[in-house]
Amino acid sequence: MLDIRQSVEKPRMKEKIPNFQVGDMVKVSLKIKEKIREGERDKKKGSKEKITEREKIYPFQGIVIKRKGGGIRETFTVRKDSYGIGVERIFPLHSPIISEIRVLKKGNVKRAKLYYLRNKKEE
């Protein structure tokens, strides 16, 4: 059973993942697909609009507060403060929408989960 699971998961796993841990400041670049409608819309004659699709890179920068799981199911949580409001996002590590993970600053923490950052306020 274990061999079957590994044979299915192995091709879907990313090979180049930077070495980061809890407490590090990371920048995660996400690939977002946008659909844009161009042209006119006429109810009587039918639609004359053209839908184009483009890909955008959306950066999310913050501190890693948690890593969980293993293998293809591994996830990590990144927290940032945006205009005084804390925003947390959970990313699957081997997701195809993640184009790049860049470590900006290494952290020096002594805990596995940094949930206490939720209660801290920046002054």
Side-chain angles (χ1 to χ4, degrees):
M1 187 68 177
L2 190 61
D3 295 331
I4 296 169
R5 183 184 301 164
Q6 286 177 348
S7 65
V8 171
E9 290 178 356
K10 188 78 169 170
R12 290 169 177 80
M13 291 178 70
K14 290 187 177 182
E15 294 176 7
K16 292 194 173 186
I17 295 174
N19 188 13
F20 68 95
Q21 57 191 6
V22 174
D24 293 350
M25 174 85 64
V26 295
K27 187 175 197 176
V28 181
S29 299
L30 302 166
K31 291 185 271 188
I32 306 292
K33 289 187 179 178
E34 269 186 351
K35 289 186 179 180
I36 301 168
R37 291 185 175 162
E38 298 172 349
E40 302 173 0
R41 203 164 175 193
D42 192 5
K43 290 182 182 178
K44 293 180 183 175
K45 297 179 184 176
S47 66
K48 295 181 181 178
E49 59 185 30
K50 180 182 166 188
I51 298 175
T52 58
E53 200 173 282
R54 70 176 181 188
E55 206 169 83
K56 247 175 127 172
I57 301 293
Y58 172 71
F60 192 90
Q61 179 178 331
I63 298 174
V64 179
I65 64 167
K66 174 172 77 168
R67 279 186 82 160
K68 179 182 175 184
I72 197 121
R73 291 169 295 284
E74 187 171 357
T75 61
F76 63 102
T77 304
V78 179
R79 179 180 174 84
K80 75 173 184 176
D81 283 331
S82 180
Y83 299 104
I85 297 172
V87 179
E88 288 184 11
R89 190 151 179 197
I90 301 170
F91 298 103
L93 188 62
H94 298 284
S95 174
I97 67 164
I98 295 178
S99 64
E100 179 187 24
I101 301 171
R102 193 173 343 151
V103 179
L104 303 175
K105 192 168 96 175
K106 294 298 255 180
N108 186 13
V109 294
K110 295 179 180 177
R111 297 180 184 226
K113 310 279 193 269
L114 301 181
Y115 295 140
Y116 66 88
L117 291 179
R118 293 175 176 164
N119 300 327
K120 278 192 136 181
K121 293 183 181 177
E122 296 231 359
E123 296 173 16

